[in-house]
Amino acid sequence: MNGINSPVEKINFNGFELYVKRDDLLSHDFSGNKARKFLYFLEHDFSKVKKLVSYGSAQANSLYSLAVLAQQKRWQLDFYVNHIASYLKNSPVGNYKAALNLGANIIEKKGDMPIHDYVLQCIDTTDETLLFLEEGGRVKEAQYGIKKLALEIIQWAKDKEIENLEVMLPSGTGTTALFLQKYLPFRVLTCPCVGDVNYLMSQFRHLEPNLQKYPTVLVPKKKYHFGKLYTEFYELYKTLKKQTHIEFELLYDPLGFLTLQEHLKNKKEQSVTLYIHQGGVLGNPSMCERYERKISF
Ligand SMILES: *Cc1c(COP(=O)(O)O)cnc(C)c1O
């Protein structure tokens, strides 16, 4: 990933003026959230390692990013999944297809053991030629790349003479929001897209039990299930595209902007808002197709 330092753009969203940090533009192959989280592994020497092992959903952004990482490091990638839908097997798309093209070994779990335990049972954790990563890059090493993101934001705010900044990004595991808050002198806002507020807080404490300041968790008005289709998500995605000419993704960003909008409506203090575009748009064509099919019924 050459010249890490993504651009920042000013946007107007439903009457609110804010900035977007375009981490989706970091590089063609290795971009967004996962590029930041896996940068440590890209830039450090792992001379003994021959194989990378992780797990998650067959459509996960991390699957593709890990496949790119493995290719660059000349490692084999074994990626375990709970299930691969038959339509996906028959006509691969998105992250799944791109990872297969890079030679990833995508392995379906057998039996009904939780996937994490299943993977640990399949591999020899004492094997030094094998590097095991928790789902979605929920690892301490992720802070290496996220700290770089924080430093870019600090420099940008300094150049712009912005003193009161809030940084918003939607969370999955919360790893990115947590480490951003660790290295930023500004308030980090986030919202839970996977699980609820309690899950997110427990993730924060698991990774950093003794942090002075945790990210501020904005609570969505409604409960949404990760990966499910919601008409308001698709509408928001299209609104954003029209108003900003930026392609956002469809799993995290719609909830990110919905909760951010509520926050901006109620906000009293003067501050500038910076939203982090965390990439993930490779999954959009299949998500859009699912939405179009849903709408046509
Ligand atoms: C993985 C991912 C997230 C969630 O990041 P966490 O660090 O797990 O909170 C958000 N947005 C996109 C596009 C992602 O790929």
Side-chain angles (χ1 to χ4, degrees), residues 147-183:
K147 184 177 181 181
K148 292 202 171 184
L149 170 58
L151 296 177
E152 287 174 29
I153 294 170
I154 291 168
Q155 188 59 49
W156 172 80
K158 198 173 158 212
D159 292 345
K160 283 252 173 206
E161 297 178 1
I162 298 168
E163 276 165 19
N164 204 356
L165 182 72
E166 348 179 88
V167 177
M168 169 69 188
L169 70 165
S171 278
T173 65
T175 308
T176 314
L178 178 77
F179 289 134
L180 258 189
Q181 185 65 87
K182 182 173 175 181
Y183 294 109

PDB file of all heavy atoms in Angstrom, residues 147-183:
ATOM      1  N   LYS A 147      -3.342   3.724  14.214  1.00  0.00           N
ATOM      2  CA  LYS A 147      -2.591   4.878  14.736  1.00  0.00           C
ATOM      3  C   LYS A 147      -2.169   5.790  13.573  1.00  0.00           C
ATOM      4  O   LYS A 147      -2.229   7.021  13.679  1.00  0.00           O
ATOM      5  CB  LYS A 147      -1.362   4.395  15.507  1.00  0.00           C
ATOM      6  CG  LYS A 147      -0.592   5.514  16.155  1.00  0.00           C
ATOM      7  CD  LYS A 147       0.575   4.991  16.963  1.00  0.00           C
ATOM      8  CE  LYS A 147       1.317   6.140  17.632  1.00  0.00           C
ATOM      9  NZ  LYS A 147       2.470   5.664  18.404  1.00  0.00           N
ATOM     10  N   LYS A 148      -1.782   5.182  12.468  1.00  0.00           N
ATOM     11  CA  LYS A 148      -1.419   5.984  11.285  1.00  0.00           C
ATOM     12  C   LYS A 148      -2.615   6.799  10.803  1.00  0.00           C
ATOM     13  O   LYS A 148      -2.471   7.961  10.416  1.00  0.00           O
ATOM     14  CB  LYS A 148      -0.910   5.090  10.153  1.00  0.00           C
ATOM     15  CG  LYS A 148       0.409   4.464  10.493  1.00  0.00           C
ATOM     16  CD  LYS A 148       1.183   4.020   9.274  1.00  0.00           C
ATOM     17  CE  LYS A 148       2.566   3.613   9.748  1.00  0.00           C
ATOM     18  NZ  LYS A 148       3.492   3.234   8.767  1.00  0.00           N
ATOM     19  N   LEU A 149      -3.772   6.165  10.819  1.00  0.00           N
ATOM     20  CA  LEU A 149      -5.000   6.881  10.447  1.00  0.00           C
ATOM     21  C   LEU A 149      -5.222   8.062  11.397  1.00  0.00           C
ATOM     22  O   LEU A 149      -5.531   9.170  10.966  1.00  0.00           O
ATOM     23  CB  LEU A 149      -6.187   5.902  10.488  1.00  0.00           C
ATOM     24  CG  LEU A 149      -7.588   6.484  10.354  1.00  0.00           C
ATOM     25  CD1 LEU A 149      -7.763   7.255   9.048  1.00  0.00           C
ATOM     26  CD2 LEU A 149      -8.648   5.358  10.435  1.00  0.00           C
ATOM     27  N   ALA A 150      -5.031   7.830  12.692  1.00  0.00           N
ATOM     28  CA  ALA A 150      -5.203   8.892  13.694  1.00  0.00           C
ATOM     29  C   ALA A 150      -4.236  10.041  13.425  1.00  0.00           C
ATOM     30  O   ALA A 150      -4.628  11.213  13.471  1.00  0.00           O
ATOM     31  CB  ALA A 150      -4.999   8.323  15.098  1.00  0.00           C
ATOM     32  N   LEU A 151      -2.991   9.717  13.103  1.00  0.00           N
ATOM     33  CA  LEU A 151      -1.992  10.761  12.855  1.00  0.00           C
ATOM     34  C   LEU A 151      -2.336  11.573  11.610  1.00  0.00           C
ATOM     35  O   LEU A 151      -2.138  12.795  11.585  1.00  0.00           O
ATOM     36  CB  LEU A 151      -0.588  10.147  12.734  1.00  0.00           C
ATOM     37  CG  LEU A 151      -0.066   9.474  14.017  1.00  0.00           C
ATOM     38  CD1 LEU A 151       1.303   8.840  13.780  1.00  0.00           C
ATOM     39  CD2 LEU A 151       0.009  10.465  15.178  1.00  0.00           C
ATOM     40  N   GLU A 152      -2.883  10.906  10.601  1.00  0.00           N
ATOM     41  CA  GLU A 152      -3.324  11.633   9.399  1.00  0.00           C
ATOM     42  C   GLU A 152      -4.437  12.611   9.750  1.00  0.00           C
ATOM     43  O   GLU A 152      -4.477  13.739   9.255  1.00  0.00           O
ATOM     44  CB  GLU A 152      -3.851  10.657   8.336  1.00  0.00           C
ATOM     45  CG  GLU A 152      -2.775   9.847   7.651  1.00  0.00           C
ATOM     46  CD  GLU A 152      -3.361   8.804   6.711  1.00  0.00           C
ATOM     47  OE1 GLU A 152      -4.463   9.010   6.160  1.00  0.00           O
ATOM     48  OE2 GLU A 152      -2.721   7.756   6.528  1.00  0.00           O
ATOM     49  N   ILE A 153      -5.352  12.183  10.602  1.00  0.00           N
ATOM     50  CA  ILE A 153      -6.485  13.040  10.994  1.00  0.00           C
ATOM     51  C   ILE A 153      -5.977  14.237  11.801  1.00  0.00           C
ATOM     52  O   ILE A 153      -6.408  15.372  11.583  1.00  0.00           O
ATOM     53  CB  ILE A 153      -7.536  12.217  11.785  1.00  0.00           C
ATOM     54  CG1 ILE A 153      -8.174  11.170  10.869  1.00  0.00           C
ATOM     55  CG2 ILE A 153      -8.601  13.137  12.388  1.00  0.00           C
ATOM     56  CD1 ILE A 153      -9.052  10.154  11.592  1.00  0.00           C
ATOM     57  N   ILE A 154      -5.046  13.982  12.702  1.00  0.00           N
ATOM     58  CA  ILE A 154      -4.489  15.063  13.526  1.00  0.00           C
ATOM     59  C   ILE A 154      -3.811  16.103  12.625  1.00  0.00           C
ATOM     60  O   ILE A 154      -4.016  17.313  12.786  1.00  0.00           O
ATOM     61  CB  ILE A 154      -3.498  14.493  14.576  1.00  0.00           C
ATOM     62  CG1 ILE A 154      -4.269  13.671  15.616  1.00  0.00           C
ATOM     63  CG2 ILE A 154      -2.697  15.609  15.241  1.00  0.00           C
ATOM     64  CD1 ILE A 154      -3.398  12.825  16.533  1.00  0.00           C
ATOM     65  N   GLN A 155      -3.045  15.639  11.663  1.00  0.00           N
ATOM     66  CA  GLN A 155      -2.350  16.556  10.744  1.00  0.00           C
ATOM     67  C   GLN A 155      -3.349  17.356   9.911  1.00  0.00           C
ATOM     68  O   GLN A 155      -3.205  18.564   9.725  1.00  0.00           O
ATOM     69  CB  GLN A 155      -1.404  15.748   9.830  1.00  0.00           C
ATOM     70  CG  GLN A 155      -0.503  16.615   8.965  1.00  0.00           C
ATOM     71  CD  GLN A 155       0.394  17.539   9.785  1.00  0.00           C
ATOM     72  OE1 GLN A 155       1.051  17.103  10.727  1.00  0.00           O
ATOM     73  NE2 GLN A 155       0.403  18.830   9.461  1.00  0.00           N
ATOM     74  N   TRP A 156      -4.377  16.676   9.441  1.00  0.00           N
ATOM     75  CA  TRP A 156      -5.409  17.337   8.632  1.00  0.00           C
ATOM     76  C   TRP A 156      -6.102  18.444   9.441  1.00  0.00           C
ATOM     77  O   TRP A 156      -6.287  19.566   8.968  1.00  0.00           O
ATOM     78  CB  TRP A 156      -6.429  16.295   8.139  1.00  0.00           C
ATOM     79  CG  TRP A 156      -7.618  16.889   7.460  1.00  0.00           C
ATOM     80  CD1 TRP A 156      -7.685  17.335   6.166  1.00  0.00           C
ATOM     81  CD2 TRP A 156      -8.917  17.118   8.032  1.00  0.00           C
ATOM     82  NE1 TRP A 156      -8.941  17.827   5.908  1.00  0.00           N
ATOM     83  CE2 TRP A 156      -9.720  17.702   7.031  1.00  0.00           C
ATOM     84  CE3 TRP A 156      -9.474  16.877   9.283  1.00  0.00           C
ATOM     85  CZ2 TRP A 156     -11.053  18.054   7.249  1.00  0.00           C
ATOM     86  CZ3 TRP A 156     -10.799  17.227   9.506  1.00  0.00           C
ATOM     87  CH2 TRP A 156     -11.579  17.812   8.495  1.00  0.00           C
ATOM     88  N   ALA A 157      -6.477  18.119  10.679  1.00  0.00           N
ATOM     89  CA  ALA A 157      -7.172  19.090  11.533  1.00  0.00           C
ATOM     90  C   ALA A 157      -6.272  20.286  11.819  1.00  0.00           C
ATOM     91  O   ALA A 157      -6.730  21.433  11.846  1.00  0.00           O
ATOM     92  CB  ALA A 157      -7.601  18.422  12.837  1.00  0.00           C
ATOM     93  N   LYS A 158      -4.989  20.018  11.982  1.00  0.00           N
ATOM     94  CA  LYS A 158      -4.015  21.084  12.248  1.00  0.00           C
ATOM     95  C   LYS A 158      -3.913  22.010  11.031  1.00  0.00           C
ATOM     96  O   LYS A 158      -3.978  23.233  11.160  1.00  0.00           O
ATOM     97  CB  LYS A 158      -2.658  20.441  12.550  1.00  0.00           C
ATOM     98  CG  LYS A 158      -1.701  21.362  13.246  1.00  0.00           C
ATOM     99  CD  LYS A 158      -0.436  20.611  13.660  1.00  0.00           C
ATOM    100  CE  LYS A 158       0.696  21.616  13.841  1.00  0.00           C
ATOM    101  NZ  LYS A 158       1.997  21.044  13.508  1.00  0.00           N
ATOM    102  N   ASP A 159      -3.790  21.399   9.846  1.00  0.00           N
ATOM    103  CA  ASP A 159      -3.701  22.187   8.614  1.00  0.00           C
ATOM    104  C   ASP A 159      -4.947  23.045   8.411  1.00  0.00           C
ATOM    105  O   ASP A 159      -4.882  24.154   7.911  1.00  0.00           O
ATOM    106  CB  ASP A 159      -3.522  21.260   7.397  1.00  0.00           C
ATOM    107  CG  ASP A 159      -2.175  20.563   7.408  1.00  0.00           C
ATOM    108  OD1 ASP A 159      -1.285  20.995   8.177  1.00  0.00           O
ATOM    109  OD2 ASP A 159      -2.009  19.573   6.667  1.00  0.00           O
ATOM    110  N   LYS A 160      -6.091  22.501   8.782  1.00  0.00           N
ATOM    111  CA  LYS A 160      -7.372  23.198   8.598  1.00  0.00           C
ATOM    112  C   LYS A 160      -7.694  24.126   9.771  1.00  0.00           C
ATOM    113  O   LYS A 160      -8.741  24.771   9.778  1.00  0.00           O
ATOM    114  CB  LYS A 160      -8.490  22.153   8.489  1.00  0.00           C
ATOM    115  CG  LYS A 160      -8.543  21.472   7.146  1.00  0.00           C
ATOM    116  CD  LYS A 160      -9.755  21.996   6.413  1.00  0.00           C
ATOM    117  CE  LYS A 160      -9.859  21.547   5.012  1.00  0.00           C
ATOM    118  NZ  LYS A 160     -10.623  22.484   4.194  1.00  0.00           N
ATOM    119  N   GLU A 161      -6.846  24.105  10.768  1.00  0.00           N
ATOM    120  CA  GLU A 161      -7.050  24.873  12.007  1.00  0.00           C
ATOM    121  C   GLU A 161      -8.391  24.546  12.673  1.00  0.00           C
ATOM    122  O   GLU A 161      -9.121  25.429  13.127  1.00  0.00           O
ATOM    123  CB  GLU A 161      -6.905  26.377  11.740  1.00  0.00           C
ATOM    124  CG  GLU A 161      -5.492  26.718  11.278  1.00  0.00           C
ATOM    125  CD  GLU A 161      -5.284  28.190  10.958  1.00  0.00           C
ATOM    126  OE1 GLU A 161      -6.238  28.974  11.103  1.00  0.00           O
ATOM    127  OE2 GLU A 161      -4.166  28.537  10.567  1.00  0.00           O
ATOM    128  N   ILE A 162      -8.690  23.259  12.689  1.00  0.00           N
ATOM    129  CA  ILE A 162      -9.910  22.791  13.360  1.00  0.00           C
ATOM    130  C   ILE A 162      -9.530  22.316  14.757  1.00  0.00           C
ATOM    131  O   ILE A 162      -8.674  21.439  14.909  1.00  0.00           O
ATOM    132  CB  ILE A 162     -10.561  21.619  12.575  1.00  0.00           C
ATOM    133  CG1 ILE A 162     -10.986  22.086  11.187  1.00  0.00           C
ATOM    134  CG2 ILE A 162     -11.737  21.032  13.349  1.00  0.00           C
ATOM    135  CD1 ILE A 162     -11.372  20.958  10.255  1.00  0.00           C
ATOM    136  N   GLU A 163     -10.141  22.919  15.750  1.00  0.00           N
ATOM    137  CA  GLU A 163      -9.801  22.533  17.126  1.00  0.00           C
ATOM    138  C   GLU A 163     -10.839  21.611  17.726  1.00  0.00           C
ATOM    139  O   GLU A 163     -10.530  20.719  18.516  1.00  0.00           O
ATOM    140  CB  GLU A 163      -9.641  23.778  17.999  1.00  0.00           C
ATOM    141  CG  GLU A 163      -8.240  24.334  17.858  1.00  0.00           C
ATOM    142  CD  GLU A 163      -8.102  25.735  18.386  1.00  0.00           C
ATOM    143  OE1 GLU A 163      -8.967  26.176  19.175  1.00  0.00           O
ATOM    144  OE2 GLU A 163      -7.125  26.399  17.994  1.00  0.00           O
ATOM    145  N   ASN A 164     -12.091  21.835  17.331  1.00  0.00           N
ATOM    146  CA  ASN A 164     -13.158  21.016  17.894  1.00  0.00           C
ATOM    147  C   ASN A 164     -13.690  20.067  16.832  1.00  0.00           C
ATOM    148  O   ASN A 164     -14.567  20.411  16.048  1.00  0.00           O
ATOM    149  CB  ASN A 164     -14.260  21.937  18.426  1.00  0.00           C
ATOM    150  CG  ASN A 164     -15.078  21.256  19.486  1.00  0.00           C
ATOM    151  OD1 ASN A 164     -14.867  20.071  19.766  1.00  0.00           O
ATOM    152  ND2 ASN A 164     -16.020  21.968  20.060  1.00  0.00           N
ATOM    153  N   LEU A 165     -13.127  18.874  16.834  1.00  0.00           N
ATOM    154  CA  LEU A 165     -13.479  17.891  15.810  1.00  0.00           C
ATOM    155  C   LEU A 165     -14.141  16.682  16.454  1.00  0.00           C
ATOM    156  O   LEU A 165     -13.756  16.253  17.541  1.00  0.00           O
ATOM    157  CB  LEU A 165     -12.202  17.448  15.069  1.00  0.00           C
ATOM    158  CG  LEU A 165     -12.381  16.454  13.922  1.00  0.00           C
ATOM    159  CD1 LEU A 165     -13.029  17.117  12.713  1.00  0.00           C
ATOM    160  CD2 LEU A 165     -11.048  15.832  13.505  1.00  0.00           C
ATOM    161  N   GLU A 166     -15.154  16.130  15.763  1.00  0.00           N
ATOM    162  CA  GLU A 166     -15.653  14.814  16.165  1.00  0.00           C
ATOM    163  C   GLU A 166     -15.497  13.895  14.970  1.00  0.00           C
ATOM    164  O   GLU A 166     -15.719  14.298  13.834  1.00  0.00           O
ATOM    165  CB  GLU A 166     -17.109  14.755  16.589  1.00  0.00           C
ATOM    166  CG  GLU A 166     -17.845  16.002  16.833  1.00  0.00           C
ATOM    167  CD  GLU A 166     -19.278  15.728  17.219  1.00  0.00           C
ATOM    168  OE1 GLU A 166     -19.503  15.550  18.414  1.00  0.00           O
ATOM    169  OE2 GLU A 166     -20.166  15.707  16.348  1.00  0.00           O
ATOM    170  N   VAL A 167     -15.104  12.664  15.265  1.00  0.00           N
ATOM    171  CA  VAL A 167     -14.858  11.685  14.215  1.00  0.00           C
ATOM    172  C   VAL A 167     -15.893  10.584  14.354  1.00  0.00           C
ATOM    173  O   VAL A 167     -16.086  10.046  15.433  1.00  0.00           O
ATOM    174  CB  VAL A 167     -13.434  11.105  14.346  1.00  0.00           C
ATOM    175  CG1 VAL A 167     -13.187  10.038  13.299  1.00  0.00           C
ATOM    176  CG2 VAL A 167     -12.392  12.214  14.243  1.00  0.00           C
ATOM    177  N   MET A 168     -16.588  10.292  13.260  1.00  0.00           N
ATOM    178  CA  MET A 168     -17.646   9.271  13.317  1.00  0.00           C
ATOM    179  C   MET A 168     -17.321   8.095  12.408  1.00  0.00           C
ATOM    180  O   MET A 168     -16.900   8.286  11.264  1.00  0.00           O
ATOM    181  CB  MET A 168     -18.984   9.903  12.875  1.00  0.00           C
ATOM    182  CG  MET A 168     -20.112   8.914  12.625  1.00  0.00           C
ATOM    183  SD  MET A 168     -20.703   8.137  14.182  1.00  0.00           S
ATOM    184  CE  MET A 168     -21.813   6.875  13.521  1.00  0.00           C
ATOM    185  N   LEU A 169     -17.523   6.894  12.909  1.00  0.00           N
ATOM    186  CA  LEU A 169     -17.399   5.695  12.076  1.00  0.00           C
ATOM    187  C   LEU A 169     -18.257   4.579  12.665  1.00  0.00           C
ATOM    188  O   LEU A 169     -18.317   4.426  13.889  1.00  0.00           O
ATOM    189  CB  LEU A 169     -15.931   5.243  11.976  1.00  0.00           C
ATOM    190  CG  LEU A 169     -15.249   4.655  13.203  1.00  0.00           C
ATOM    191  CD1 LEU A 169     -13.975   3.944  12.808  1.00  0.00           C
ATOM    192  CD2 LEU A 169     -14.941   5.716  14.235  1.00  0.00           C
ATOM    193  N   PRO A 170     -18.993   3.851  11.832  1.00  0.00           N
ATOM    194  CA  PRO A 170     -19.804   2.746  12.355  1.00  0.00           C
ATOM    195  C   PRO A 170     -18.933   1.545  12.722  1.00  0.00           C
ATOM    196  O   PRO A 170     -17.903   1.318  12.102  1.00  0.00           O
ATOM    197  CB  PRO A 170     -20.729   2.398  11.176  1.00  0.00           C
ATOM    198  CG  PRO A 170     -20.016   2.895   9.957  1.00  0.00           C
ATOM    199  CD  PRO A 170     -19.157   4.036  10.383  1.00  0.00           C
ATOM    200  N   SER A 171     -19.344   0.804  13.747  1.00  0.00           N
ATOM    201  CA  SER A 171     -18.542  -0.316  14.255  1.00  0.00           C
ATOM    202  C   SER A 171     -19.124  -1.686  13.966  1.00  0.00           C
ATOM    203  O   SER A 171     -20.347  -1.876  13.959  1.00  0.00           O
ATOM    204  CB  SER A 171     -18.404  -0.210  15.779  1.00  0.00           C
ATOM    205  OG  SER A 171     -17.394   0.680  16.127  1.00  0.00           O
ATOM    206  N   GLY A 172     -18.210  -2.633  13.771  1.00  0.00           N
ATOM    207  CA  GLY A 172     -18.541  -4.054  13.800  1.00  0.00           C
ATOM    208  C   GLY A 172     -18.007  -4.592  15.109  1.00  0.00           C
ATOM    209  O   GLY A 172     -18.686  -4.591  16.125  1.00  0.00           O
ATOM    210  N   THR A 173     -16.732  -4.989  15.116  1.00  0.00           N
ATOM    211  CA  THR A 173     -16.097  -5.435  16.359  1.00  0.00           C
ATOM    212  C   THR A 173     -15.747  -4.252  17.259  1.00  0.00           C
ATOM    213  O   THR A 173     -15.461  -4.446  18.439  1.00  0.00           O
ATOM    214  CB  THR A 173     -14.787  -6.198  16.062  1.00  0.00           C
ATOM    215  OG1 THR A 173     -13.857  -5.293  15.462  1.00  0.00           O
ATOM    216  CG2 THR A 173     -15.030  -7.366  15.116  1.00  0.00           C
ATOM    217  N   GLY A 174     -15.691  -3.043  16.680  1.00  0.00           N
ATOM    218  CA  GLY A 174     -15.331  -1.859  17.464  1.00  0.00           C
ATOM    219  C   GLY A 174     -13.829  -1.603  17.542  1.00  0.00           C
ATOM    220  O   GLY A 174     -13.390  -0.614  18.132  1.00  0.00           O
ATOM    221  N   THR A 175     -13.053  -2.481  16.924  1.00  0.00           N
ATOM    222  CA  THR A 175     -11.585  -2.379  16.986  1.00  0.00           C
ATOM    223  C   THR A 175     -11.083  -1.034  16.440  1.00  0.00           C
ATOM    224  O   THR A 175     -10.230  -0.391  17.050  1.00  0.00           O
ATOM    225  CB  THR A 175     -10.947  -3.531  16.178  1.00  0.00           C
ATOM    226  OG1 THR A 175     -11.505  -4.758  16.624  1.00  0.00           O
ATOM    227  CG2 THR A 175      -9.443  -3.560  16.338  1.00  0.00           C
ATOM    228  N   THR A 176     -11.630  -0.618  15.302  1.00  0.00           N
ATOM    229  CA  THR A 176     -11.163   0.606  14.664  1.00  0.00           C
ATOM    230  C   THR A 176     -11.522   1.834  15.498  1.00  0.00           C
ATOM    231  O   THR A 176     -10.678   2.692  15.745  1.00  0.00           O
ATOM    232  CB  THR A 176     -11.753   0.727  13.246  1.00  0.00           C
ATOM    233  OG1 THR A 176     -11.610  -0.534  12.587  1.00  0.00           O
ATOM    234  CG2 THR A 176     -11.036   1.790  12.442  1.00  0.00           C
ATOM    235  N   ALA A 177     -12.766   1.902  15.951  1.00  0.00           N
ATOM    236  CA  ALA A 177     -13.204   3.043  16.766  1.00  0.00           C
ATOM    237  C   ALA A 177     -12.389   3.123  18.051  1.00  0.00           C
ATOM    238  O   ALA A 177     -11.941   4.199  18.457  1.00  0.00           O
ATOM    239  CB  ALA A 177     -14.697   2.909  17.090  1.00  0.00           C
ATOM    240  N   LEU A 178     -12.157   1.983  18.667  1.00  0.00           N
ATOM    241  CA  LEU A 178     -11.421   1.954  19.931  1.00  0.00           C
ATOM    242  C   LEU A 178     -10.001   2.485  19.769  1.00  0.00           C
ATOM    243  O   LEU A 178      -9.562   3.359  20.517  1.00  0.00           O
ATOM    244  CB  LEU A 178     -11.372   0.525  20.478  1.00  0.00           C
ATOM    245  CG  LEU A 178     -10.571   0.397  21.771  1.00  0.00           C
ATOM    246  CD1 LEU A 178     -11.374   0.911  22.946  1.00  0.00           C
ATOM    247  CD2 LEU A 178     -10.131  -1.030  22.011  1.00  0.00           C
ATOM    248  N   PHE A 179      -9.273   1.958  18.802  1.00  0.00           N
ATOM    249  CA  PHE A 179      -7.880   2.384  18.646  1.00  0.00           C
ATOM    250  C   PHE A 179      -7.784   3.815  18.099  1.00  0.00           C
ATOM    251  O   PHE A 179      -6.827   4.517  18.388  1.00  0.00           O
ATOM    252  CB  PHE A 179      -7.091   1.381  17.799  1.00  0.00           C
ATOM    253  CG  PHE A 179      -6.825   0.084  18.522  1.00  0.00           C
ATOM    254  CD1 PHE A 179      -7.030  -1.143  17.913  1.00  0.00           C
ATOM    255  CD2 PHE A 179      -6.370   0.104  19.842  1.00  0.00           C
ATOM    256  CE1 PHE A 179      -6.784  -2.336  18.590  1.00  0.00           C
ATOM    257  CE2 PHE A 179      -6.125  -1.087  20.530  1.00  0.00           C
ATOM    258  CZ  PHE A 179      -6.335  -2.313  19.902  1.00  0.00           C
ATOM    259  N   LEU A 180      -8.787   4.247  17.348  1.00  0.00           N
ATOM    260  CA  LEU A 180      -8.788   5.649  16.916  1.00  0.00           C
ATOM    261  C   LEU A 180      -8.903   6.553  18.140  1.00  0.00           C
ATOM    262  O   LEU A 180      -8.183   7.539  18.269  1.00  0.00           O
ATOM    263  CB  LEU A 180      -9.973   5.920  15.986  1.00  0.00           C
ATOM    264  CG  LEU A 180      -9.718   6.000  14.491  1.00  0.00           C
ATOM    265  CD1 LEU A 180     -10.970   6.481  13.791  1.00  0.00           C
ATOM    266  CD2 LEU A 180      -8.536   6.902  14.148  1.00  0.00           C
ATOM    267  N   GLN A 181      -9.826   6.196  19.042  1.00  0.00           N
ATOM    268  CA  GLN A 181      -9.999   7.012  20.250  1.00  0.00           C
ATOM    269  C   GLN A 181      -8.739   7.006  21.097  1.00  0.00           C
ATOM    270  O   GLN A 181      -8.375   8.015  21.689  1.00  0.00           O
ATOM    271  CB  GLN A 181     -11.194   6.504  21.066  1.00  0.00           C
ATOM    272  CG  GLN A 181     -11.507   7.359  22.272  1.00  0.00           C
ATOM    273  CD  GLN A 181     -11.963   8.771  21.891  1.00  0.00           C
ATOM    274  OE1 GLN A 181     -13.125   9.014  21.652  1.00  0.00           O
ATOM    275  NE2 GLN A 181     -11.025   9.709  21.819  1.00  0.00           N
ATOM    276  N   LYS A 182      -8.049   5.879  21.106  1.00  0.00           N
ATOM    277  CA  LYS A 182      -6.810   5.767  21.879  1.00  0.00           C
ATOM    278  C   LYS A 182      -5.767   6.777  21.407  1.00  0.00           C
ATOM    279  O   LYS A 182      -5.032   7.335  22.210  1.00  0.00           O
ATOM    280  CB  LYS A 182      -6.271   4.338  21.761  1.00  0.00           C
ATOM    281  CG  LYS A 182      -5.004   4.072  22.550  1.00  0.00           C
ATOM    282  CD  LYS A 182      -4.624   2.599  22.515  1.00  0.00           C
ATOM    283  CE  LYS A 182      -3.281   2.363  23.210  1.00  0.00           C
ATOM    284  NZ  LYS A 182      -2.902   0.938  23.152  1.00  0.00           N
ATOM    285  N   TYR A 183      -5.715   7.010  20.089  1.00  0.00           N
ATOM    286  CA  TYR A 183      -4.655   7.860  19.542  1.00  0.00           C
ATOM    287  C   TYR A 183      -5.107   9.255  19.103  1.00  0.00           C
ATOM    288  O   TYR A 183      -4.305  10.035  18.620  1.00  0.00           O
ATOM    289  CB  TYR A 183      -3.969   7.132  18.373  1.00  0.00           C
ATOM    290  CG  TYR A 183      -3.231   5.895  18.833  1.00  0.00           C
ATOM    291  CD1 TYR A 183      -3.691   4.619  18.532  1.00  0.00           C
ATOM    292  CD2 TYR A 183      -2.080   6.024  19.612  1.00  0.00           C
ATOM    293  CE1 TYR A 183      -3.012   3.482  18.984  1.00  0.00           C
ATOM    294  CE2 TYR A 183      -1.403   4.902  20.069  1.00  0.00           C
ATOM    295  CZ  TYR A 183      -1.875   3.633  19.751  1.00  0.00           C
ATOM    296  OH  TYR A 183      -1.209   2.526  20.207  1.00  0.00           O
TER     297      TYR A 183
END
